[in-house]
Amino acid sequence: MDVVSPELNSLLPDEIMDTEAIEDVQHSQPDRTTVSSQPGENTSVPMETDTPVASENVGLCSDVPEQTQALTTSTDSTLGISSESQIPISITSTASTLLTLKPVLTTSIATTKTTDSVTGTSVTTSGLQKLSAPFTISPANHQIILNKVASAQATEAAKSAGTSPQVIKQEGQKLLVTAIGKSGQPIVLQLPHAGSKPGVSQTSGETKCQAPQFKVVAVGGRSELKPIIGSAGNQVTTLQTQQLKTVQIAKKTPASSAAPIKFIITKTVNSKGLSPQTSVPPVIAGRVLTQNSPVMPQRTISLSETHNTSIQSIPGKKIAISPLKTPSKVTVVSVASPTSNTSQKSVALPVNVALGQQILTVQQSTSASPVKLATSQTTAQNIKPVQTVGGVGSSQFKTIIPLAAQPNVQQIQVPGSRFHYVRLVTATTASSTGQPSGPTTSSIQTAKPMVVSTGAVRMSVPIVPAQTMKQVAPKPLTSAAQVVTTTQTQQRLIMPATPLPQIQPNFTNLPPGTVLAPAPGGGNVGYAVLPAQYVTQLQQSPFVTLASSSGFPASTGIQTQARLPLNGLSTSETTSRPRKPCNCTKSQCLKLYCDCFANGEFCNNCNCNNCFNNLEHETERLKAIKTCLDRNPEAFKPKIGKGKEGESDRRHSKGCNCKRSGCLKNYCECYEAKIMCSSICKCIGCKNFEESPERKTLMHLADAAEVRVQQQTAAKTKLSSQISDLLMRTTHVISSGGGRLPYTFVTKEVLEATCECLLEQAKKAEQTQPQAEAERMILEEFGHCLMRIISSAGKAKADSASISC
DNA sequence: GAGTTTGAAACT
DNA sequence: CAGTTTCAAACTC
């Protein structure tokens, strides 16, 4: 995948490549630089859909009106992140994050330049949420460490970097990082060195020469650093991931110092070229539809649409995604790579999050692009690995995405991708259109499919105003892209963010499917946590689906397809074992008694009564979640996690309390998770330990039973195959006529004739004595009849053959 | 399938 | 924190 070169950018239509759209926010809206956006501020402008051009690039742009959250390097070289004591950073991660940036690659960062001085590179992420996650900055190393969960780790990391950790709180500086990474994957934003002072203080000339930089370092693994360096001089250095995925920040060189700095962040995701084996070409989501006018209805533009042809026609499959005439909007692109081997994986879809004012463009690029990629991890800045981000041992895929003021979330599902993409939709906008949307509505205001061309995979993403989105069937696209609309029932995957000010929990504790609104006065940000099963759906479904925020039918199959790692089991383990439907009768599925609820899933195809664990009872559900979290902040974390440091085995986080089962029945959570009890268990009469003879016996029995089952299954399969094969042959023979079996000639007429012959013979035999002789005569006659039948059959076969010849 | 057992979750 | 109750899954018949 090529990165659009500056030259090429200049040739591109402004609406596409105009990086100026990523404008100097401070200039135009200086007062917006603070994070705290007032509620309702964003609501007027709906987020547009981005439609990527069919290419290997992934671009995602989301615009958030009036809300700028930019992290800029200040003149004093301190990093500030803005407003309200909390840094607007959204980090999503859990052990398995939906929008997951693979350990290696990871970070999707929306950056935009905020200062017109330009030199300073500012990293802006938009729409961010409150930073509940610890955020530390290491001035010495010019690093910002974002930690999702505990700050202790961040602190340590900062210390390891040689500096004391700092909390960034600087007015006017906002940082949005939409980084979705696995837990344990810290994201480090590396700032320009203090000495270089790339910030506002620099002159334009300095800008050009010195190339103010901002570095985004995504730490994929605990030990991996993925720094991304963006410079003003059209050069971006990216530490490439093992998967050859690159995050690039292309910056259009300003013609003059006065010109705003434009950034294009390009990230190569599963680029075809890089992963030729990939069966599914990378997805490009490319084009972000932004609206300048608050009243504009949402639009989804298909990638195949003609207005994108300019992009598509670009050789090298270069995609330039830029804010469409929305200078002050930010598109946050989340690009993640699912697994370490994900270079093989096909699809990465940009996340379109309606958050900031600035648009970040993500593109795939190749080495040929103006963006330079550096594979060396030893960048000028010492990047210290930081602690994990996200819940430890969290096995659930969760994505937390900042939401706009009155956000509604639409989910984008990408086949073949483990990422979940969420589109946030301002509800008020939808209502402002005055057009109620209904099922199968295809109007622009109500539902317009976004098509993402992924090469072999095409996705149709209906985007519908959240509040009016009820059972909106995806509209088939008739564009040249030949997008096929899924016939699958529209699924609502994410709950609209409703005010839930009290909830300021650790994000990792939130169950998937939860959208949390910001605390009062905390700004227009909310959080969306997406269930992991969506990922599965992404992988299974050839389409991209945007989830509506309401009217989620219980019949949809999402919940039953849950693939969340359960009880510490790997995803693969759970993949083959769909979660059982619950049978709750009294809890309304809003207590942890309910497995669905406990796993952060909506009930679906369950047998529960009076179920409130669905989108139709969002309020109740959110309250229940809050209650659970109040009671136990770890309530939604996986119970099975890593043991103590150095222990490789999984173990129950709390331990069991079994008294009668000997911990050898599924009543025991340890046993159920196929792990042994540990010292933290309070069980009585435990037999679930390594040397336990009972346990060994049980295991042997279980193994034997499993083997038996497998054998039986294999036998059944084989038998079935043989029968099927036999039937196939028979059918073929019969249908061909050449091999008709004799019995097929025993027609009714033949039968009657035979019977007549036998009766006649019997009459004759009656006159014959003894009886044995009579029977012999009848049997002989029967033999003759059979011979005649067979003879006739043979003759017919011969005739048939001769005819066919 | 109904009834029992079990232990986590919820409650006091 | 401990004891009790509630709950739904696991289990038995």
Side-chain angles (χ1 to χ4, degrees):
Chain A
M1 186 65 76
D2 293 338
V3 171
V4 177
S5 64
E7 298 78 7
L8 198 54
N9 285 344
S10 62
L11 299 177
L12 293 173
D14 289 343
E15 63 179 2
I16 295 172
M17 276 307 295
D18 185 4
T19 52
E20 291 180 357
I22 301 172
E23 66 174 335
D24 173 349
V25 173
Q26 290 180 350
H27 245 331
S28 60
Q29 297 175 353
D31 53 341
R32 294 290 184 178
T33 56
T34 58
V35 176
S36 62
S37 55
Q38 297 304 319
E41 191 172 325
N42 294 335
T43 58
S44 61
V45 178
M47 186 178 82
E48 277 294 331
T49 306
D50 43 336
T51 8
V53 178
S55 70
E56 299 171 352
N57 291 334
V58 174
L60 184 45
C61 299
S62 66
D63 55 319
V64 175
E66 303 300 319
Q67 183 175 358
T68 301
Q69 295 173 347
L71 174 79
T72 58
T73 55
S74 62
T75 55
D76 57 354
S77 76
T78 14
L79 210 64
I81 290 182
S82 98
S83 65
E84 299 183 8
S85 68
Q86 284 189 341
I87 300 166
I89 295 172
S90 93
I91 298 174
T92 313
S93 68
T94 52
S96 358
T97 308
L98 289 186
L99 278 177
T100 300
L101 291 185
K102 239 7 198 155
V104 218
L105 179 55
T106 4
T107 341
S108 58
I109 296 169
T111 65
T112 52
K113 184 200 166 274
T114 57
T115 60
D116 42 71
S117 63
V118 172
T119 52
T121 328
S122 38
V123 176
T124 302
T125 50
S126 58
L128 305 183
Q129 16 326 45
K130 308 181 162 184
L131 194 51
S132 60
F135 181 89
T136 59
I137 180 172
S138 170
N141 291 327
H142 308 287
Q143 297 176 351
I144 298 173
I145 300 169
L146 301 179
N147 285 319
K148 180 180 181 179
V149 186
S151 42
Q153 292 176 339
T155 302
E156 294 174 356
K159 286 180 179 177
S160 65
T163 61
S164 60
Q166 272 183 325
V167 174
I168 297 175
K169 279 185 185 180
Q170 187 160 348
E171 196 81 38
Q173 291 182 346
K174 302 174 181 181
L175 170 63
L176 166 61
V177 177
T178 305
I180 300 139
K182 270 189 170 182
S183 64
Q185 297 174 357
I187 295 167
V188 178
L189 298 180
Q190 188 148 8
L191 301 176
H193 194 281
S196 64
K197 295 227 170 183
V200 259
S201 62
Q202 284 185 341
T203 63
S204 62
E206 291 175 349
T207 302
K208 245 183 175 180
C209 300
Q210 225 167 346
Q213 318 169 333
F214 79 83
K215 297 179 180 179
V216 177
V217 178
V219 180
R222 290 183 180 176
S223 60
E224 288 180 330
L225 295 179
K226 311 293 177 186
I228 299 167
I229 301 171
S231 65
N234 284 336
Q235 290 183 347
V236 177
T237 301
T238 302
L239 250 174
Q240 242 176 337
T241 63
Q242 293 175 348
Q243 292 86 3
L244 297 176
K245 295 179 179 177
T246 61
V247 175
Q248 296 178 343
I249 301 171
K251 183 178 178 181
K252 196 173 183 177
T253 305
S256 66
S257 61
I261 295 175
K262 304 168 184 178
F263 287 100
I264 296 174
I265 296 177
T266 317
K267 185 174 184 178
T268 302
V269 177
N270 296 325
S271 110
K272 240 180 190 176
L274 294 176
S275 58
Q277 307 94 328
T278 301
S279 59
V280 179
V283 175
I284 305 319
R287 187 166 176 192
V288 173
L289 305 181
T290 59
Q291 292 178 345
N292 291 332
S293 171
V295 295
M296 281 182 69
Q298 296 178 1
R299 286 185 57 200
T300 300
I301 298 175
S302 168
L303 291 178
S304 62
E305 287 181 334
T306 55
H307 38 278
N308 285 336
T309 54
S310 62
I311 297 174
Q312 293 174 334
S313 62
I314 297 170
K317 294 181 179 180
K318 297 177 180 179
I319 296 174
I321 300 168
S322 66
L324 298 179
K325 299 176 180 179
T326 50
S328 61
K329 297 178 180 181
V330 175
T331 297
V332 177
V333 177
S334 174
V335 180
S337 106
T339 62
S340 58
N341 292 331
T342 54
S343 57
Q344 310 288 335
K345 285 203 173 181
S346 48
V347 179
L349 189 65
V351 176
N352 189 355
V353 179
L355 297 176
Q357 285 182 337
Q358 298 173 340
I359 294 175
L360 171 64
T361 301
V362 174
Q363 296 175 335
Q364 285 183 333
S365 65
T366 61
S367 59
S369 70
V371 176
K372 294 180 180 179
L373 301 179
T375 56
S376 171
Q377 291 186 349
T378 59
T379 56
Q381 317 285 343
N382 287 332
I383 300 169
K384 303 287 184 179
V386 195
Q387 65 286 358
T388 61
V389 176
V392 175
S394 172
S395 59
Q396 292 186 349
F397 292 88
K398 296 179 181 177
T399 299
I400 301 174
I401 298 174
L403 299 179
Q406 296 180 1
N408 286 288
V409 181
Q410 292 178 344
Q411 178 185 354
I412 300 172
Q413 296 180 347
V414 182
S417 172
R418 292 179 58 188
F419 311 146
H420 282 180
Y421 301 98
V422 176
R423 181 176 185 273
L424 303 180
V425 179
T426 301
T428 55
T429 301
S431 60
S432 65
T433 60
Q435 285 193 359
S437 64
T440 68
T441 300
S442 62
S443 65
I444 293 175
Q445 288 85 354
T446 55
K448 218 175 178 183
M450 176 182 73
V451 177
V452 178
S453 174
T454 62
V457 177
R458 288 184 169 80
M459 294 161 285
S460 174
V461 182
I463 296 175
V464 182
Q467 289 184 343
T468 59
M469 211 184 338
K470 274 207 170 188
Q471 294 299 309
V472 176
K475 180 185 177 182
L477 293 182
T478 57
S479 65
Q482 296 178 352
V483 175
V484 179
T485 300
T486 178
T487 57
Q488 195 173 5
T489 305
Q490 184 71 19
Q491 298 174 344
R492 294 190 348 168
L493 303 179
I494 305 169
M495 301 174 71
T498 57
L500 192 60
Q502 300 89 345
I503 297 179
Q504 293 294 328
N506 185 337
F507 288 140
T508 59
N509 292 333
L510 295 179
T514 302
V515 174
L516 299 180
N524 287 335
V525 292
Y527 309 92
V529 181
L530 304 183
Q533 62 264 28
Y534 302 155
V535 174
T536 302
Q537 290 183 326
L538 295 182
Q539 295 171 342
Q540 293 177 347
S541 171
F543 303 104
V544 173
T545 302
L546 284 182
S548 66
S549 60
S550 63
F552 185 63
S555 61
T556 54
I558 298 175
Q559 307 307 327
T560 56
Q561 296 175 358
R563 302 295 164 85
L564 286 174
L566 188 60
N567 289 332
L569 296 179
S570 66
T571 303
S572 59
E573 289 175 281
T574 57
T575 300
S576 58
R577 190 160 50 105
R579 180 186 57 77
K580 292 181 179 180
C582 72
N583 301 298
C584 306
T585 56
K586 298 182 178 179
S587 67
Q588 295 178 323
C589 298
L590 291 182
K591 293 191 175 181
L592 295 177
Y593 298 128
C594 176
D595 283 351
C596 303
F597 180 78
N599 286 319
E601 302 169 4
F602 294 107
C603 285
N604 184 263
N605 288 340
C606 293
N607 303 315
C608 43
N609 295 330
N610 194 24
C611 180
F612 276 47
N613 186 27
N614 51 50
L615 285 171
E616 295 180 0
H617 297 85
E618 298 165 358
T619 304
E620 292 85 350
R621 186 173 185 268
L622 287 174
K623 286 180 180 177
I625 291 169
K626 177 186 176 301
T627 301
C628 289
L629 290 174
D630 287 344
R631 188 181 298 121
N632 176 21
E634 315 282 312
F636 294 101
K637 283 188 176 180
K639 292 180 179 178
I640 307 300
K642 286 273 186 178
K644 295 178 181 177
E645 192 172 353
E647 294 181 2
S648 58
D649 293 340
R650 297 177 299 126
R651 76 171 189 176
H652 198 285
S653 59
K654 291 169 57 182
C656 67
N657 300 296
C658 305
K659 295 176 179 63
R660 293 171 166 266
S661 66
C663 299
L664 289 181
K665 292 188 177 180
N666 281 335
Y667 297 127
C668 176
E669 292 191 347
C670 298
Y671 181 82
E672 186 182 27
K674 293 181 173 58
I675 60 177
M676 282 174 284
C677 292
S678 64
S679 57
I680 60 174
C681 292
K682 304 173 191 65
C683 43
I684 299 173
C686 179
K687 297 173 183 175
N688 185 24
F689 54 92
E690 183 67 40
E691 294 80 11
S692 169
E694 291 88 349
R695 176 183 164 277
K696 288 180 179 178
T697 302
L698 212 57
M699 289 300 168
H700 290 154
L701 291 174
D703 291 342
E706 187 176 356
V707 169
R708 257 198 311 274
V709 169
Q710 290 177 349
Q711 290 175 343
Q712 290 176 351
T713 303
K716 286 180 180 178
T717 303
K718 185 178 179 180
L719 182 62
S720 175
S721 174
Q722 290 175 340
I723 292 173
S724 175
D725 184 60
L726 181 62
L727 289 175
M728 286 286 291
R729 291 183 188 175
T730 302
T731 303
H732 176 71
V733 167
I734 293 174
S735 63
S736 64
R740 295 181 73 183
L741 299 176
Y743 66 79
T744 61
F745 294 91
V746 185
T747 62
K748 183 180 178 181
E749 292 76 13
V750 172
L751 201 59
E752 289 176 349
T754 302
C755 290
E756 287 180 1
C757 291
L758 292 176
L759 288 173
E760 188 66 23
Q761 187 68 8
K763 289 178 182 176
K764 291 180 182 178
E766 284 178 352
Q767 301 170 1
T768 306
Q769 292 297 335
Q771 185 177 355
E773 181 65 18
E775 292 176 350
R776 187 187 63 81
M777 291 176 63
I778 296 172
L779 289 175
E780 283 181 351
E781 179 60 20
F782 182 70
H784 291 315
C785 290
L786 284 178
M787 290 299 294
R788 285 195 290 270
I789 293 171
I790 293 172
S791 177
S792 298
K795 185 179 179 181
K797 179 179 177 181
D799 292 343
S800 175
S802 63
I803 292 173
S804 63
C805 293

